[in-house]
Amino acid sequence: MLEAFSNFGISWLDPWLLLLTASGTLAGIYVGAIPGLSVTMATSILISFTFKWPVNDALALIAGVFMGGVYGGSRTAILLNIPGAPSAIATAIDGYPMARRGEAGEAIGLTTVMSVFGGFIGIAALAMFAPVISSFALMFNSRDYLLLGLIGILLVGTLSGESFAKGAFAGALGVLIGMVGLDPMTAEGRFTFGSISLMGGIPYIAAMIGFFGVAEALVQLQTLDVPAIKQKIDRVIPRLSDIKRYFWLAVRASGIGTIIGALPGTGGDIAALLAYDDARRSVKEPEVPFGEGAKEGLVAPEAANNAAVGGAFIPMLTLGIPGDAVTAVIIGALFIHGLKPGPLMLVETPHLFWFTVGNLALANIFLLIFGLTGTRLFTKIVECPKAILIPLIIVLSAVGTYAIENNPVHIYWMLLFGVLGYFLKTYGFQVGPIILGVILGPMMDSNYRRAMIGARGDIGEFFWNFVSHPISLILSIAFVLMIVSQTPLWPWLRKSIRKQN
Amino acid sequence: MSGQSTRRPGELAFICLLTLFSAAALWQAYGISGFSGLSQPGVFPMLAAATMLASCLFILASTLRTRSSREPGESVVFWRDVLPVRLLVILAMVALYLYAMPWLGFVIASGLFLFASFAYLWRKNALISLALSAGSLAAVYFLFRIVFEVVLPQGKLLPAGVF
């Protein structure tokens, strides 16, 4: 216990780590807030710079950027009606009408306090439940990991995309990209076409930066001429009466956020929308109707999306399954530092777990400080024209990709994925499942083969194992239900059940 | 399952390309180890490629069911919305920049790229674009070369140790 506590406090006492967490949080707020820059983009570029750093330094910076970025999106949602990040979509619904009434400062203040509150609940859940889940996860078999990977990719694909088929395609494409190179089990080449450079595989950092950085910059070109709207900000510190009034709503929203964040494949965006929906149903008489600037409509999604940060770390650290695109990128960072997120991580490197918990808590405190100060400077920066931002994103993406192995070929990969990502996004495909597929693909492949070897190559026994063990059965049912719910069979089933009732 | 009723310009051609790519990927995956065993290195790539192909066929079928935008003509809208001149120019600049970086080095290539793209996209006074590109390049160089100690391309055409 004492050891856990001392690891928790590492970044609180070390001035360098303190500085890194603070600058990460500050940078995250701006990155999250500036439309066109996303937390995933920033994290993937950041990883390429920090991979030579000591792991604690890198994690401190990344935790700050993640925490700040999830919150930062709310700023532009309130001020410009443009959610800076997907997790702030629900915030814009009531935040922007408040800003139009001249209450932008109040909206930002309330959002900040509730985000920090939600953040702490998520972190507390991480500290309490991750060790329990981790010891439970030690009982997981290779087929269970295969199922978890499949569920994760499909969830990201189905919840955020235009159609299930497009999500499934994106996930499978990611898996295929992850398969390129020498097979780790037999050293046989897969999709290498005799090229030596392909034998090492496609660099996933180049894929990440291409899909999230370059592709996004190209998409932003379409809205280059949309002018920025200016807002005046006055009182930022929220009223104590407001905090008291919305306390229980924030507790409930944080609970929703933590649970949704902890489910593989669902992140802050879904958590915020669900919490918003819950608030709309449960708050019977809001002061102002929802959609017209109700404070409840700000409190619920903001508490939920920051609570989802702590929640998303639970499956990431205990099962090695990312909660969403950002945690997929962070898993990539952990791999680069030679760490293997999964049930053994808490057994082998418990200090790292408690360090992460402490770090997230610290980032949350910085969030409160930076969230309530410097709003005037902030409005100036977010008004930065896209004509300046887009070339800068491309330069940063190029530096980030090159920095990993100093290999110019990687930047060509980045450009290729950037162009492909642009077309995919234009035609309604999501790029998040691709990155999940790239990262989880090799893990799923090796677990599939282990499970198949365990069944002595007998396909009947292989499938029987999925239903004859309790954990595998639950996961299999979840997987099948997920697929069935996306087919026309689902509405038909629901209709016939309703008819019978 | 796909909610849209009208087809985006160029969507059908893009889905066709994805379908062809998926079929080729499946063929290549089959070539790894064929059907020689269920735990062979080619099985999972085959499953992934088959999923891609099946989804593509499904997407293709639903795209064929949608209407294409008739006014003012699909190709006109495609070149206006999906591949406008601005995007093509920027893509050409990016390709040139990335190609030139190993030769000219990070500083010169990025400086030229930033200046050209600011001048093209922002359309302000050339001096302002020049000052802005110099300022942002200095900031990027300071942050990444000096603070983060990232090794940046030096440029084969430049004498060693210039930047």
Coordinates of all heavy atoms in Angstrom, one line a residue, chain A residues 219-283:
Chain A
V219 N -9.0 17.1 -45.1 CA -10.5 17.3 -44.9 C -10.8 18.7 -44.5 O -11.7 19.4 -45.0 CB -11.0 16.3 -43.9 CG1 -12.5 16.6 -43.6 CG2 -11.0 14.9 -44.4
Q220 N -9.9 19.3 -43.7 CA -10.1 20.7 -43.2 C -10.0 21.7 -44.4 O -10.6 22.8 -44.2 CB -9.1 21.1 -42.2 CG -9.2 20.3 -40.9 CD -10.4 20.6 -40.1 OE1 -10.9 21.7 -40.2 NE2 -11.0 19.6 -39.4
L221 N -9.4 21.3 -45.4 CA -9.3 22.2 -46.6 C -10.6 22.6 -47.1 O -10.8 23.7 -47.7 CB -8.4 21.6 -47.7 CG -6.9 21.8 -47.7 CD1 -6.3 20.9 -48.8 CD2 -6.5 23.2 -47.9
Q222 N -11.6 21.7 -47.0 CA -12.9 21.9 -47.5 C -13.6 23.0 -46.8 O -14.5 23.6 -47.4 CB -13.8 20.6 -47.3 CG -13.3 19.5 -48.2 CD -14.0 18.2 -48.0 OE1 -14.7 18.0 -46.9 NE2 -13.9 17.2 -48.9
T223 N -13.3 23.3 -45.5 CA -14.0 24.3 -44.8 C -13.0 25.5 -44.5 O -13.2 26.2 -43.5 CB -14.5 23.8 -43.4 OG1 -13.4 23.1 -42.8 CG2 -15.6 22.8 -43.6
L224 N -12.1 25.7 -45.4 CA -11.1 26.8 -45.2 C -11.7 28.2 -45.1 O -11.2 29.0 -44.3 CB -10.1 26.7 -46.4 CG -8.8 27.5 -46.2 CD1 -7.9 26.8 -45.2 CD2 -8.1 27.5 -47.6
D225 N -12.7 28.4 -45.8 CA -13.3 29.7 -45.9 C -14.3 30.1 -44.9 O -14.8 31.2 -44.8 CB -13.9 30.0 -47.3 CG -12.9 29.6 -48.4 OD1 -11.7 30.0 -48.2 OD2 -13.2 28.9 -49.4
V226 N -14.6 29.1 -44.0 CA -15.7 29.4 -43.0 C -15.1 30.3 -41.9 O -14.1 30.0 -41.3 CB -16.1 28.1 -42.3 CG1 -17.1 28.4 -41.2 CG2 -16.7 27.1 -43.3
P227 N -15.6 31.5 -41.8 CA -15.0 32.5 -40.9 C -15.3 32.1 -39.4 O -16.3 31.5 -39.0 CB -15.7 33.8 -41.2 CG -17.0 33.4 -41.8 CD -16.9 32.1 -42.4
A228 N -14.3 32.5 -38.5 CA -14.4 32.2 -37.1 C -15.4 33.3 -36.5 O -15.4 34.4 -36.9 CB -13.1 32.3 -36.4
I229 N -16.2 32.8 -35.5 CA -17.1 33.7 -34.8 C -16.5 34.2 -33.5 O -15.9 33.4 -32.8 CB -18.4 33.0 -34.5 CG1 -19.0 32.4 -35.8 CG2 -19.5 34.0 -33.9 CD1 -19.9 31.2 -35.5
K230 N -16.5 35.5 -33.2 CA -15.9 36.0 -32.0 C -16.9 36.0 -30.8 O -18.0 36.3 -31.0 CB -15.3 37.3 -32.3 CG -14.1 37.2 -33.3 CD -13.4 38.5 -33.5 CE -12.3 38.2 -34.5 NZ -11.6 39.3 -34.9
Q231 N -16.4 35.7 -29.6 CA -17.2 35.7 -28.4 C -16.6 36.5 -27.3 O -15.4 36.6 -27.2 CB -17.4 34.3 -27.9 CG -18.3 33.5 -28.8 CD -19.8 33.8 -28.7 OE1 -20.2 34.5 -27.8 NE2 -20.6 33.2 -29.6
K232 N -17.4 37.1 -26.5 CA -16.9 37.9 -25.3 C -17.1 37.0 -24.1 O -18.1 36.3 -23.9 CB -17.8 39.1 -25.1 CG -17.0 40.3 -24.6 CD -17.9 41.5 -24.5 CE -18.2 41.9 -23.1 NZ -19.3 41.5 -22.5
I233 N -16.0 37.0 -23.3 CA -16.1 36.1 -22.1 C -16.0 37.0 -20.8 O -15.1 37.8 -20.7 CB -14.9 35.1 -22.1 CG1 -15.0 34.2 -23.3 CG2 -14.9 34.3 -20.8 CD1 -13.9 33.2 -23.4
D234 N -16.9 36.8 -19.9 CA -16.8 37.5 -18.7 C -16.5 36.7 -17.5 O -15.4 36.2 -17.4 CB -18.2 38.3 -18.5 CG -19.4 37.5 -18.9 OD1 -19.2 36.2 -19.0 OD2 -20.4 38.0 -19.2
R235 N -17.5 36.4 -16.6 CA -17.3 35.6 -15.4 C -17.0 34.2 -15.7 O -17.8 33.5 -16.4 CB -18.5 35.8 -14.5 CG -18.5 35.0 -13.3 CD -20.0 34.9 -12.7 NE -20.0 33.9 -11.7 CZ -19.8 34.2 -10.4 NH1 -19.7 35.4 -10.1 NH2 -19.8 33.3 -9.5
V236 N -15.9 33.6 -15.2 CA -15.5 32.3 -15.4 C -15.7 31.3 -14.2 O -16.2 30.2 -14.4 CB -14.1 32.2 -16.0 CG1 -13.6 30.7 -16.1 CG2 -13.9 32.9 -17.3
I237 N -15.4 31.9 -13.0 CA -15.6 31.1 -11.8 C -17.1 30.8 -11.6 O -17.9 31.7 -11.6 CB -15.1 31.8 -10.6 CG1 -13.6 32.3 -10.8 CG2 -15.2 30.9 -9.3 CD1 -12.6 31.3 -10.8
P238 N -17.5 29.5 -11.6 CA -18.9 29.2 -11.5 C -19.5 29.5 -10.1 O -18.7 29.5 -9.1 CB -19.0 27.7 -11.7 CG -17.6 27.2 -11.4 CD -16.7 28.3 -11.6
R239 N -20.8 29.6 -10.0 CA -21.4 29.9 -8.7 C -21.5 28.6 -7.9 O -21.7 27.5 -8.4 CB -22.8 30.4 -8.9 CG -22.9 31.7 -9.6 CD -24.3 32.3 -9.6 NE -24.3 33.6 -10.2 CZ -24.4 33.8 -11.5 NH1 -24.4 32.9 -12.3 NH2 -24.3 35.1 -11.9
L240 N -21.3 28.8 -6.6 CA -21.3 27.6 -5.7 C -22.7 27.0 -5.7 O -22.8 25.7 -5.6 CB -20.9 28.1 -4.2 CG -20.5 26.9 -3.3 CD1 -19.3 26.2 -3.7 CD2 -20.4 27.4 -1.9
S241 N -23.7 27.8 -5.8 CA -25.1 27.3 -5.8 C -25.3 26.4 -7.0 O -26.0 25.4 -6.9 CB -26.1 28.5 -5.8 OG -25.8 29.2 -7.0
D242 N -24.7 26.7 -8.1 CA -24.8 25.9 -9.3 C -24.1 24.5 -9.1 O -24.7 23.5 -9.5 CB -24.1 26.6 -10.5 CG -25.1 27.5 -11.2 OD1 -26.3 27.5 -10.9 OD2 -24.7 28.3 -12.1
I243 N -22.9 24.6 -8.5 CA -22.2 23.3 -8.3 C -23.0 22.4 -7.3 O -23.2 21.2 -7.6 CB -20.8 23.6 -7.7 CG1 -20.0 24.4 -8.7 CG2 -20.1 22.3 -7.3 CD1 -18.7 24.9 -8.3
K244 N -23.6 23.0 -6.3 CA -24.4 22.2 -5.3 C -25.6 21.6 -6.0 O -25.9 20.5 -5.9 CB -24.9 23.1 -4.2 CG -23.9 23.2 -3.0 CD -24.5 24.0 -1.9 CE -23.5 24.5 -0.9 NZ -24.0 25.6 -0.1
R245 N -26.2 22.5 -6.9 CA -27.4 22.1 -7.5 C -27.2 20.9 -8.5 O -28.1 20.0 -8.6 CB -28.0 23.3 -8.3 CG -29.3 23.1 -8.8 CD -29.9 24.4 -9.2 NE -31.1 24.1 -10.0 CZ -31.6 24.9 -10.8 NH1 -31.2 26.1 -10.9 NH2 -32.7 24.6 -11.4
Y246 N -26.1 20.9 -9.2 CA -25.9 19.9 -10.2 C -25.0 18.7 -9.7 O -24.6 18.0 -10.5 CB -25.3 20.5 -11.5 CG -26.2 21.6 -12.0 CD1 -25.7 22.9 -12.2 CD2 -27.5 21.3 -12.4 CE1 -26.6 23.9 -12.7 CE2 -28.4 22.3 -12.9 CZ -27.9 23.6 -13.0 OH -28.7 24.6 -13.5
F247 N -24.7 18.7 -8.4 CA -23.8 17.7 -7.9 C -24.2 16.3 -8.2 O -23.5 15.5 -8.8 CB -23.7 17.9 -6.4 CG -22.7 16.9 -5.7 CD1 -21.4 17.0 -5.8 CD2 -23.3 15.8 -5.0 CE1 -20.5 16.1 -5.2 CE2 -22.4 14.9 -4.5 CZ -21.0 15.0 -4.6
W248 N -25.5 16.0 -7.9 CA -25.9 14.6 -8.1 C -26.0 14.2 -9.6 O -25.8 13.0 -9.9 CB -27.2 14.3 -7.4 CG -27.0 14.3 -5.9 CD1 -27.4 15.2 -5.0 CD2 -26.2 13.3 -5.2 NE1 -26.9 14.9 -3.7 CE2 -26.1 13.7 -3.8 CE3 -25.5 12.2 -5.5 CZ2 -25.5 13.0 -2.8 CZ3 -24.8 11.5 -4.6 CH2 -24.8 11.9 -3.2
L249 N -26.4 15.2 -10.4 CA -26.4 14.9 -11.8 C -25.0 14.6 -12.3 O -24.8 13.7 -13.1 CB -26.9 16.2 -12.5 CG -27.0 16.1 -14.1 CD1 -28.0 15.0 -14.5 CD2 -27.3 17.4 -14.7
A250 N -24.0 15.3 -11.8 CA -22.6 15.1 -12.2 C -22.1 13.7 -11.7 O -21.4 13.0 -12.4 CB -21.7 16.2 -11.6
V251 N -22.6 13.3 -10.5 CA -22.2 12.0 -10.0 C -22.7 10.9 -10.9 O -22.0 10.0 -11.3 CB -22.7 11.8 -8.6 CG1 -22.5 10.3 -8.1 CG2 -22.1 12.7 -7.6
R252 N -24.0 11.1 -11.3 CA -24.6 10.0 -12.2 C -23.9 10.0 -13.6 O -23.6 9.0 -14.1 CB -26.1 10.3 -12.3 CG -26.9 9.0 -12.7 CD -28.3 9.2 -12.6 NE -28.9 10.2 -13.4 CZ -29.6 11.2 -13.0 NH1 -29.9 11.3 -11.7 NH2 -30.1 12.1 -13.8
A253 N -23.7 11.2 -14.1 CA -23.1 11.3 -15.4 C -21.7 10.7 -15.4 O -21.2 10.1 -16.3 CB -23.0 12.8 -15.9
S254 N -21.0 11.0 -14.3 CA -19.6 10.4 -14.1 C -19.6 8.9 -14.1 O -18.8 8.2 -14.7 CB -18.9 10.9 -12.9 OG -19.0 12.3 -12.8
G255 N -20.7 8.4 -13.4 CA -20.8 6.9 -13.4 C -21.0 6.4 -14.8 O -20.3 5.4 -15.2
I256 N -21.9 7.0 -15.5 CA -22.2 6.6 -16.9 C -20.9 6.7 -17.7 O -20.5 5.7 -18.4 CB -23.2 7.5 -17.6 CG1 -24.6 7.2 -16.9 CG2 -23.4 7.2 -19.1 CD1 -25.7 8.2 -17.3
G257 N -20.2 7.8 -17.5 CA -18.9 8.0 -18.3 C -17.9 6.9 -18.0 O -17.2 6.4 -18.9
T258 N -17.7 6.6 -16.7 CA -16.7 5.6 -16.3 C -17.0 4.3 -17.0 O -16.2 3.6 -17.5 CB -16.6 5.5 -14.8 OG1 -16.5 6.8 -14.2 CG2 -15.5 4.7 -14.4
I259 N -18.3 3.9 -16.8 CA -18.7 2.5 -17.3 C -18.5 2.5 -18.9 O -17.9 1.6 -19.4 CB -20.1 2.2 -16.9 CG1 -20.2 2.0 -15.4 CG2 -20.6 0.9 -17.6 CD1 -21.6 2.0 -14.8
I260 N -19.0 3.5 -19.5 CA -18.9 3.5 -21.0 C -17.5 3.6 -21.5 O -17.1 2.9 -22.4 CB -19.7 4.7 -21.6 CG1 -21.2 4.6 -21.2 CG2 -19.6 4.8 -23.1 CD1 -22.0 3.5 -21.8
G261 N -16.7 4.4 -20.8 CA -15.3 4.5 -21.1 C -14.6 3.2 -20.9 O -13.6 2.9 -21.6
A262 N -15.0 2.4 -19.9 CA -14.3 1.2 -19.6 C -14.7 0.1 -20.6 O -14.0 -0.9 -20.7 CB -14.7 0.7 -18.2
L263 N -15.8 0.2 -21.3 CA -16.2 -0.8 -22.3 C -15.2 -0.7 -23.5 O -15.0 0.4 -24.0 CB -17.6 -0.6 -22.8 CG -18.7 -0.8 -21.8 CD1 -20.0 -0.5 -22.5 CD2 -18.7 -2.3 -21.4
P264 N -14.6 -1.8 -23.9 CA -13.7 -1.7 -25.1 C -14.5 -1.2 -26.3 O -15.6 -1.6 -26.6 CB -13.3 -3.2 -25.3 CG -13.7 -3.9 -24.1 CD -14.8 -3.2 -23.5
G265 N -13.9 -0.2 -26.9 CA -14.4 0.3 -28.1 C -15.3 1.6 -28.0 O -15.6 2.2 -28.9
T266 N -15.7 1.9 -26.7 CA -16.5 3.1 -26.6 C -15.7 4.1 -25.8 O -15.1 3.8 -24.8 CB -17.8 2.8 -25.8 OG1 -17.5 2.0 -24.7 CG2 -18.7 2.0 -26.7
G267 N -15.7 5.3 -26.2 CA -14.9 6.4 -25.5 C -15.8 7.5 -25.0 O -17.0 7.4 -24.9
G268 N -15.1 8.7 -24.9 CA -15.8 9.9 -24.3 C -16.9 10.4 -25.2 O -17.9 10.9 -24.6
D269 N -16.9 10.2 -26.5 CA -18.0 10.7 -27.3 C -19.3 10.0 -27.1 O -20.3 10.7 -26.9 CB -17.6 10.6 -28.8 CG -17.0 9.3 -29.2 OD1 -16.7 8.5 -28.3 OD2 -16.8 9.1 -30.4
I270 N -19.2 8.7 -27.0 CA -20.5 7.9 -26.7 C -20.9 8.2 -25.3 O -22.1 8.4 -25.0 CB -20.2 6.4 -26.8 CG1 -19.5 6.1 -28.1 CG2 -21.5 5.6 -26.7 CD1 -20.3 6.1 -29.3
A271 N -20.0 8.3 -24.3 CA -20.3 8.5 -22.9 C -21.0 9.9 -22.8 O -22.0 9.9 -22.1 CB -19.0 8.5 -22.1
A272 N -20.5 10.9 -23.5 CA -21.1 12.2 -23.4 C -22.5 12.2 -23.9 O -23.4 12.8 -23.3 CB -20.2 13.2 -24.1
L273 N -22.7 11.6 -25.1 CA -24.0 11.6 -25.7 C -25.0 10.8 -24.8 O -26.2 11.3 -24.6 CB -24.0 10.9 -27.1 CG -23.3 11.8 -28.1 CD1 -23.0 11.1 -29.4 CD2 -24.2 13.0 -28.5
L274 N -24.6 9.7 -24.2 CA -25.5 8.9 -23.4 C -25.8 9.7 -22.1 O -27.0 9.7 -21.7 CB -24.9 7.6 -23.0 CG -24.9 6.5 -24.1 CD1 -24.2 5.2 -23.6 CD2 -26.4 6.2 -24.5
A275 N -24.8 10.3 -21.5 CA -25.1 11.1 -20.3 C -26.0 12.3 -20.6 O -26.9 12.6 -19.8 CB -23.8 11.6 -19.7
Y276 N -25.9 12.9 -21.7 CA -26.7 14.0 -22.1 C -28.2 13.5 -22.3 O -29.1 14.1 -21.8 CB -26.3 14.6 -23.4 CG -27.1 15.8 -23.9 CD1 -26.8 17.0 -23.4 CD2 -28.1 15.6 -24.8 CE1 -27.6 18.1 -23.8 CE2 -28.9 16.7 -25.2 CZ -28.6 18.0 -24.7 OH -29.4 19.0 -25.1
D277 N -28.3 12.3 -22.9 CA -29.6 11.7 -23.1 C -30.2 11.4 -21.8 O -31.4 11.7 -21.5 CB -29.4 10.5 -24.0 CG -30.8 9.9 -24.3 OD1 -31.6 10.6 -24.9 OD2 -31.0 8.7 -24.0
D278 N -29.4 10.9 -20.8 CA -29.9 10.5 -19.5 C -30.4 11.8 -18.8 O -31.5 11.7 -18.2 CB -28.8 9.8 -18.7 CG -29.1 9.7 -17.3 OD1 -30.0 8.9 -17.0 OD2 -28.5 10.4 -16.4
A279 N -29.6 12.8 -18.9 CA -30.0 14.1 -18.2 C -31.3 14.6 -18.8 O -32.2 15.1 -18.0 CB -28.9 15.1 -18.4
R280 N -31.5 14.5 -20.1 CA -32.7 15.0 -20.7 C -33.9 14.3 -20.3 O -35.0 14.8 -20.1 CB -32.5 14.9 -22.2 CG -33.2 16.1 -22.9 CD -32.9 16.1 -24.4 NE -33.1 14.7 -24.9 CZ -32.8 14.4 -26.2 NH1 -32.5 15.3 -27.0 NH2 -33.0 13.2 -26.6
R281 N -33.7 13.0 -20.0 CA -34.8 12.2 -19.6 C -35.1 12.4 -18.1 O -36.3 12.4 -17.7 CB -34.5 10.7 -19.8 CG -34.7 10.2 -21.2 CD -34.0 8.9 -21.3 NE -33.6 8.6 -22.7 CZ -34.4 8.0 -23.5 NH1 -35.6 7.6 -23.1 NH2 -34.0 7.7 -24.7
S282 N -34.1 12.5 -17.3 CA -34.3 12.5 -15.8 C -34.5 13.9 -15.3 O -35.3 14.0 -14.3 CB -33.0 11.9 -15.1 OG -31.9 12.6 -15.5
V283 N -34.0 14.9 -15.9 CA -34.3 16.3 -15.3 C -35.6 16.7 -15.9 O -35.8 17.0 -17.1 CB -33.2 17.3 -15.7 CG1 -33.5 18.6 -15.1 CG2 -31.8 16.8 -15.2

